[in-house]
Amino acid sequence: MYVVKNKIQSNLLIKKLNLNRFEEQIFDNTQIVEIQQFLEQYPAKYYTIRDKQNYGSMPNFRVQKYEVLGYCQNFTKFGIAVSTDNYNSKILTGDIFIGTDHTLWLIATDQPYASGRDAERDPVYLIDSDIFDKRIRHIKGLEYLINYLYRYHLLDIVVEFAVFSEKIGINKDYVVIYELRTHY
């Protein structure tokens, strides 16, 4: 069983388990060379930038590559990641929990441009049942996600995820894990 008390622990566990993700690195606004190296190593049209000093600040999911350096000057400490907005193939996103007793809790949407927060505010799927529930068979991408969670033993933990119709992320898989939660 994993214990995750904050976003930093979540990021560390995702990396330790080598779960599929979009690479994110933390910078301060003086690290211009390092930011440029990150942009070259992970080329994309759009990047997500998150303020890492102010809790609850809204990330910008759609900063174009040529805008990144200027945009980052608005922050002292921030994260840069490849944005999901580079892909038009998202088929399911949200939060899921599978218990060791096979209980299942899902809050998700199949809207292609929705974020995890959008799924929480306006879910298309809100299920509190078990993995044997016949209703879940017809949710596109969910069977693959469930198998992924069992493969990586992600049980008794809330997983913020997205499922895509193409292989993406650092491990080139259909599932991308954004966050793991147990105690926050």
Side-chain angles (χ1 to χ4, degrees), residues 37-66:
Q37 290 171 342
F38 178 87
L39 297 175
E40 291 303 315
Q41 186 174 358
Y42 302 101
K45 182 175 181 181
Y46 300 112
Y47 294 87
T48 297
I49 300 180
R50 290 180 173 88
D51 183 348
K52 296 296 185 177
Q53 282 200 302
N54 297 307
Y55 177 77
S57 63
M58 290 299 295
N60 187 335
F61 295 106
R62 204 172 173 92
V63 178
Q64 292 191 37
K65 184 176 184 175
Y66 70 88

Side-chain angles (χ1 to χ4, degrees), residues 3 12 24 26 36 42 56 91 115 126 151-152 165 173 183:
V3 175
L12 291 172
E24 179 179 27
I26 309 298
Q36 290 172 327
Y42 302 101
I91 57 176
S115 68
L126 185 57
R151 180 174 3 134
Y152 285 97
S165 62
D173 204 328
H183 289 82

Side-chain angles (χ1 to χ4, degrees), residues 117-130:
R117 286 185 181 158
D118 294 334
E120 290 173 3
R121 280 189 292 252
D122 189 22
V124 174
Y125 306 104
L126 185 57
I127 298 172
D128 186 2
S129 187
D130 60 48

Side-chain angles (χ1 to χ4, degrees), residues 64-79:
Q64 292 191 37
K65 184 176 184 175
Y66 70 88
E67 299 173 313
V68 169
L69 290 175
Y71 190 83
C72 291
Q73 296 308 306
N74 297 320
F75 308 102
T76 303
K77 191 166 213 64
F78 52 90

Side-chain angles (χ1 to χ4, degrees), residues 92-97 104-110 115-128 139 142 145 158-162 181:
L92 189 67
T93 192
D95 291 342
I96 188 170
F97 173 92
L104 177 135
W105 172 82
L106 174 73
I107 183 168
T109 185
D110 55 8
S115 68
R117 286 185 181 158
D118 294 334
E120 290 173 3
R121 280 189 292 252
D122 189 22
V124 174
Y125 306 104
L126 185 57
I127 298 172
D128 186 2
I139 300 174
L142 185 57
L145 173 63
V158 176
V159 178
E160 185 179 339
F161 71 90
R181 297 189 291 273

